[in-house]
Structure formats: structure tokens, C-alpha cells
Amino acid sequence: MCGIIGCVQRGGDCWPRVYDGLKRLEYRGYDSVGVAVLDQNAIGIRKKKGGADALADAYLKGGAGIGHTRWATHGAPSDENAHPHAAGKFALVHNGIVENFAALKEELVAAGEVFLSETDSEVIVKLISRAYTGDFLRAVRDGCARLEGSYAIAVLCEDFPDTVVCAKCKSPLVAGTGADGVYVCSDIPALSGVCGSICPASDGELICLVGQRVLFYDFNLNAVDKTFTPSDGGSAVRERGAFTSYMEEEIADIPRALSDTYAALKGMDFTACARKLAAAERIFAVACGTAFHSTLSFRFVAEKCLGVPVICERASEFRYKTRLIQKDDVLVAVSQSGETADTAEAVKRAKAAGAYVVSVTNVRHSTIAALSDTNVPMRANAEIAVAATKSYNCQLMCLFTLAAEACCKKTGVYPSFYYDLPALSFAAREAFSCFPEVDALASRLKEKSAMYFLGRDADFVTAVEGALKVKEIAYVFSEGYPAGELKHGTLALVEKGFPVIAIVTQKSLAKKTENAVAEVIARGGYVALFSPFESVLKESAAQFCCKIPAVREELAGAVSVIPLQYFALRMCQLRGHDPDKPRNLAKSVTVE
Ligand code: M6R
């Protein structure tokens, strides 16, 4: 969702750092951008519709500043709705949703306030301004006390040079200290390389950047002692180099990400969480989007090797089923960012029910990691493109390892697939050799307006993940379907030239998926088949066949998805879209 940054810069010129922060935060939202800087006792504001580039020629002098990249919730992307919003002596940036904003706005309008934007955020700055009697921190606290919903805010006040006051409730906020200044930001990765140490805020806390100090307060305005930890330089936001997009660079990084994740997992102590998983009579797994697809793969592997049911739920739906989760259950929560609001909420509810929580995240000090009993870290490093690619492959590596560790705890031996995990990185690199063929397929299908992805059992998961990628960045309607379900309704849409992409990585199921291929072709459809088996490809009626690397079947999803990720990328580019910033989306979904 929106990205916020605040800083007090040593030497008194904060613009370059705030602007650089906005570029790093752009993946959180990119429909408008804005900066406010306090110079002496005057606040200057520059804001515009568009991405960070819209402010490339702007500059404001001053040492304390706040910045914002917007992902619109209330009010269309426009100069007026861009943050910062101002009232009286204050300017504010906000990430989150003020759920009672309509009632607050009505009250403020009745009191004579005039609103310049359609945003929910403008009510916050007005509340703060009206609460102000000379105490900046108290005014921010009092303004926030009226809010329902979620917020991370950073505020400037003309009476307080070199000061930024922030508050957090349910939206992420982290403070950091660096050689050149002190910072707050909605994202740990955006501070990497800038800050030597970081400290995430908890809900209900306020942060005050004053001069070169970072002070934390609780909601009663008592000082809170916090511990700063060294920031993870490994996750620093990278340049995309010679690649056409971050997404392309991130796909190319999959072998490295898999091998680093494998190495990190080897060094991890799984004793506590493996014991819990081994003893559980059922396991819940929650996540959103691509991360949810990872949980489906986990189910196939964990159910087989642990012999207990794994119940996968989209995190946004899990809240309606929390009555089912109990003390002896284990919840596995998966999230690249570690900040997805629905997943964090599911974790909180599971904890409240007394369940043990294992999380898999790519950001070590994230909200979800902090809430969990055990955190299993991926080493995908920063993923900038909105479409998740390398984080998905790494999630599978973590989840397969988790299942294997639990299995070993339960039975005394590792399942045989455990020994093939290090080979995934090599197989991933091998998968790149499919790209010229995939490129040709994308060229052939680039004008299509809909397609199906089919697979059985674990290949069904790869199908839904491939379909999500194509939908998300190429804007082509696509649906992942179990191959056996085709004739129960879906086949009705297949007509001459309708594209279907089929995946077969389990030989025992090849004949059955081939039946679906034949049914599509009999109706004039166009089938592209991906499989590691020469014989399956040779015997198929599919018009396009692509051989993918052979990987043992429990682990195949971590590799068979790669040609589909690349297919989505090429479909997107050939249709003239930007893969890194798909319309209407943001990388980190921190509102429910
Ligand atoms: O950060 P998370 O893994 O929790 O994010 C979950 C989803 O929002 C995310 O996977 C989304 O579906 C991707 N953009 C899909 O490519």
C-alpha cells in the first residue's frame, strides 16, 4: 500500500534522502507522490500525480522532511489527493485506512473545516491541528485517539524544527539510525543500506525524531525503551542493472535465492517448531495471493509425510473460521513482505486461540515474523516487482524443508525428497533454457484475451500461480483449473484457438491430463504442454510442447513454475505494459 518516509538529516538538507526513499518505496504504491520539508519555521510541500519521477526536478530546502508514495483507497489519483496533507501548522503523510473518516469529516465540516482532498487522511491532520495547544507529541496522540482503522503517520509541525512525530496502529512503521540522519519508514527494505540499525514500532506507539535522536513513546506518552538491531544489508533495494525490469532480474535471481535460502535453512534450529508440527493433529496454513499458492504446495507435501490434514485458507477468509483453530493446532503463515494485513490478523487470531504459529517471511524483522513463535526466513532478498516470483520459489523451499523437519521429528527419518532440496537451485537455472521457446509461445498468444492453465494434484498449484501472474501483469483473464474439472463446466468456453497451458510433472497422472488436452483440442483449442518427460511430450496431441527440467515430483512446483513466470513477463511486455508496476496493485497490502 502507500509508502511513507520521514527523516531528520544531519547537515540540514533532507531532500535527497527523502526523494531517494520515495524511489525505494515506489513498489508500495505509485499513483501519486509528495514531499513536505520544514525549513526554519515554514513547511514547503511538493506533490503530484504519478510516480517518484514526477518530482525529479523538484527540491525543497530544510533538514526535516516527510514523503509519501500513494496507492489510492479514498479518492482517485490526483495532485489534490496526493499526500502530504496540511492543516494549520502541520503537514502529514499516512498509510492505512481511517474507517470512521466519514463521521469525522462530517463533524469537522460542521465545525467549519474546509477539505481540499477526497482522502480519509486529511481528517487526521485536521484533528491533530485542532488538538494542538503547543505540545506536538500530545496533539498527534490526541488526533490519533479519534481514529478507527489502521495508520502509520509521519507529521511535521512548523513550531518544531528538526522534528518528525510519527504514530502507528496496524500499519507497519520502522525507525532507523544511519550515519547521515535518523529515519522512519513503512518498510525495512527501504531503509537497508541507509540505516545501520533499525527498530520496528509496535501498535499504539509514537516515534519522535528530534535532532539526531529517536525516541519511542506509548499511547500514554510514557517513554519506551526499545532495542535497535543491525539492519539486514542483504535485503537492500538493488538497481535492476541491464535487465528490462525488476521482474526479469528477479526471475534471473531465482537460482541464487534458492541456494541462499537452502543454506540459511541448514543453519536453522527447527527443534521447537518441528516438535509442534509433528505432534499436531491438524495444521492450518494461511496466506494471500501467491503466498497462498505456496501453502497449497505445502499441503500436498506435509499431508503425505505427516499424515495429518493441512487446512489451507486465504488469510482474509480465515477470520471467519477462527472458531475452528485450537490450542494444539499449528498455524503456518506465509508472507513475502511479512506485513500483509490479513495474514497478520490471522496470526493474531491464531495466537489468541493459543495455537503455535510458524511463519515464513522474506523480511526478518517484519510484523508477521515478530508475532510468530518460530520464523523461517527466506533469502530471496528484496523483491521489488509487484508480481511475486523468486519469493514464491523460496517459500516452497522453506515449506518443503519445514515438512521434512517435522517428518523427521515424527518418524525419526527425513523423507527422501529432503536430500534433493539442494538440487532445486541447479534445476531452476536449467529452466532458463526454456525461455526462447516460451518467448515464441508468448508471441503467438499475445493478442488472446483469455486462457486456462491446467494441472492435476500438485501441478494444479503451478497452474493457479501461472494464471495469477498472467492476470496480474499482462491483464489477460486467466484461470488455473484442476485438469479433471474441465468437463464440469469450464470446457464450455473453449472454442477455436482458445489457449490452454497444461503442466505435467507427475508421470502417473500424465495420461489423465492428456485426456483434458485431447478434449480441448477436439474443440479447436490450442494447447501448450510443459513437462519434464520426453515420452509424455511425444505422445501428447498438444500443439506446443516444452521440456522442463526433471525434478522429483514432491519438489517439482518450485521449478515448473519458472517458465510460467517468464511467460507472464513476456506476455506483459509484448502487450506493452510495465511488469514492475501493474495497474491498481501494490507490492505490500497493509490494509485489510
Ligand atoms: O507479502 P505477501 O507475500 O504477504 O503478499 C501476498 C500477496 O499480496 C502477493 O503474493 C500477491 O498476490 C502478489 N503480487 C502476486 O504476484
Side-chain angles (χ1 to χ4, degrees):
M1 303 286 105
C2 306
I4 68 170
I5 184 162
C7 91
V8 178
Q9 193 69 11
R10 204 184 286 280
D13 183 18
C14 73
W15 180 274
R17 184 58 80 204
V18 175
Y19 184 65
D20 177 55
L22 293 184
K23 291 200 87 93
R24 290 157 170 264
L25 283 169
E26 243 191 330
Y27 62 93
R28 291 186 68 96
Y30 30 82
D31 54 46
S32 58
V33 64
V35 175
V37 174
L38 178 58
D39 182 27
Q40 309 287 341
N41 294 99
I43 294 174
I45 294 182
R46 298 286 179 272
K47 55 184 194 169
K48 270 210 165 318
K49 183 176 170 187
D53 285 349
L55 291 185
D57 298 326
Y59 174 76
L60 288 163
K61 182 167 153 283
I66 55 178
H68 189 266
T69 59
R70 181 165 185 253
W71 183 85
T73 58
H74 296 70
S78 69
D79 291 356
E80 295 73 31
N81 290 334
H83 298 212
H85 296 289
K89 297 177 172 195
F90 297 86
L92 161 142
V93 291
H94 167 226
N95 171 35
I97 291 183
V98 181
E99 285 168 1
N100 59 337
F101 100 100
L104 292 172
K105 190 165 179 175
E106 204 177 303
E107 175 192 317
L108 289 163
V109 169
E113 295 287 349
V114 176
F115 281 79
L116 302 177
S117 77
E118 302 159 288
T119 65
D120 54 336
S121 312
E122 198 178 353
V123 300
I124 313 177
V125 71
K126 294 221 187 275
L127 289 171
I128 292 171
S129 175
R130 291 173 77 86
Y132 182 61
T133 53
D135 185 334
F136 186 8
L137 190 68
R138 187 172 293 277
V140 171
R141 193 280 309 268
D142 290 350
C144 290
R146 302 285 322 276
L147 307 177
E148 288 165 19
S150 57
Y151 56 82
I153 57 170
V155 192
L156 295 176
C157 174
E158 289 181 346
D159 291 344
F160 293 83
D162 292 338
T163 305
V164 178
V165 173
C166 311
K168 167 188 153 64
C169 177
K170 295 190 200 158
S171 293
L173 187 69
V174 57
T177 59
D180 300 329
V182 288
Y183 306 90
V184 287
C185 186
S186 37
D187 250 296
I188 292 169
L191 289 182
S192 298
V194 175
C195 291
S197 63
I198 54 163
C199 180
S202 302
D203 284 346
E205 285 182 343
L206 296 104
I207 302 174
C208 199
L209 307 181
V210 202
Q212 288 306 297
R213 288 182 306 152
V214 182
L215 307 171
F216 279 79
Y217 298 90
D218 65 18
F219 214 64
N220 294 320
L221 307 185
N222 299 312
V224 180
D225 246 348
K226 299 283 280 194
T227 310
F228 278 71
T229 51
S231 90
D232 181 359
S235 286
V237 174
R238 309 162 316 281
E239 295 300 319
R240 66 169 204 233
F243 292 96
T244 56
S245 61
Y246 275 113
M247 186 176 173
E248 189 188 7
E249 192 262 353
E250 285 158 9
I251 292 173
D253 197 31
I254 291 171
R256 193 272 323 141
L258 282 170
S259 101
D260 283 4
T261 299
Y262 177 77
L265 295 172
K266 282 304 258 185
M268 180 171 162
D269 180 3
F270 282 94
T271 315
C273 68
R275 186 179 301 131
K276 285 283 181 187
L277 281 162
E281 283 181 14
R282 60 188 181 167
I283 298 164
F284 288 81
V286 296
C288 300
T290 287
F292 174 71
H293 298 157
S294 307
T295 68
L296 298 177
S297 282
F298 174 65
R299 180 173 70 195
F300 283 112
V301 173
E303 284 187 344
K304 266 182 208 155
C305 65
L306 295 175
V308 296
V310 177
I311 303 150
C312 299
E313 264 311 331
R314 289 185 166 83
S316 55
E317 292 290 313
F318 180 75
R319 62 179 47 208
Y320 310 114
K321 311 211 162 78
T322 41
R323 62 185 183 284
L324 292 179
I325 194 159
Q326 291 165 5
K327 190 167 68 44
D328 295 326
D329 296 328
V330 176
L331 180 99
V332 177
V334 184
S335 174
Q336 186 283 129
S337 61
E339 300 295 351
T340 297
D342 286 319
T343 311
E345 186 58 31
V347 167
K348 284 181 199 157
R349 288 178 185 227
K351 293 284 292 177
Y356 189 89
V357 175
V358 186
S359 64
V360 174
T361 64
N362 193 30
V363 181
R364 231 188 303 177
H365 300 287
S366 56
T367 303
I368 291 168
L371 288 168
S372 322
D373 296 295
T374 297
N375 178 246
V376 180
M378 315 172 218
R379 287 288 180 270
N381 290 354
E383 189 177 66
I384 313 289
V386 167
T389 53
K390 61 179 179 173
S391 65
Y392 176 73
N393 310 74
C394 292
Q395 282 160 8
L396 296 191
M397 172 69 92
C398 292
L399 291 166
F400 295 154
T401 305
L402 194 58
E405 292 287 352
C407 175
C408 182
K409 185 61 75 192
K410 194 164 185 163
T411 64
V413 284
Y414 281 108
S416 52
F417 71 75
Y418 176 74
Y419 301 99
D420 282 20
L421 286 167
L424 284 180
S425 164
F426 302 104
R429 194 173 299 286
E430 227 184 297
F432 296 168
S433 59
C434 304
F435 287 1
E437 283 166 88
V438 173
D439 222 343
L441 180 68
S443 298
R444 184 181 177 110
L445 301 183
K446 65 176 191 284
E447 309 292 351
K448 300 288 181 187
S449 55
M451 59 182 66
Y452 288 145
F453 287 73
L454 300 180
R456 278 176 189 264
D457 199 59
D459 289 332
F460 161 66
V461 182
T462 309
V464 287
E465 176 56 10
L468 176 61
K469 289 289 95 95
V470 168
K471 230 178 285 186
E472 184 179 15
I473 58 169
Y475 314 146
V476 173
F477 175 78
S478 47
E479 194 170 3
Y481 232 73
E485 274 289 296
L486 191 64
K487 45 193 170 299
H488 297 290
T490 318
L491 193 56
L493 287 187
V494 174
E495 54 187 359
K496 192 167 181 315
F498 188 94
V500 171
I501 298 194
I503 307 110
V504 175
T505 64
Q506 298 179 53
K507 207 156 195 182
S508 57
L509 300 177
K511 284 263 176 318
K512 292 197 182 294
T513 301
E514 183 57 26
N515 290 344
V517 169
E519 286 156 13
V520 170
I521 291 173
R523 274 120 194 127
Y526 178 85
V527 180
L529 176 64
F530 290 83
S531 176
F533 309 114
E534 290 280 10
S535 57
V536 168
L537 295 168
K538 221 158 119 206
E539 286 159 26
S540 175
Q543 293 95 331
F544 172 98
C545 288
C546 182
K547 188 168 181 315
I548 58 177
V551 175
R552 62 175 300 144
E553 62 182 46
E554 294 92 330
L555 313 180
V559 172
S560 57
V561 74
I562 296 172
L564 305 190
Q565 293 167 333
Y566 186 71
F567 172 71
L569 169 72
R570 291 303 296 139
M571 284 287 287
C572 163
Q573 291 176 324
L574 291 166
R575 291 165 67 88
H577 306 302
D578 176 354
D580 292 342
K581 293 178 189 163
R583 67 186 178 207
N584 307 338
L585 301 178
K587 181 71 179 162
S588 190
V589 184
T590 54
V591 293
E592 289 170 28

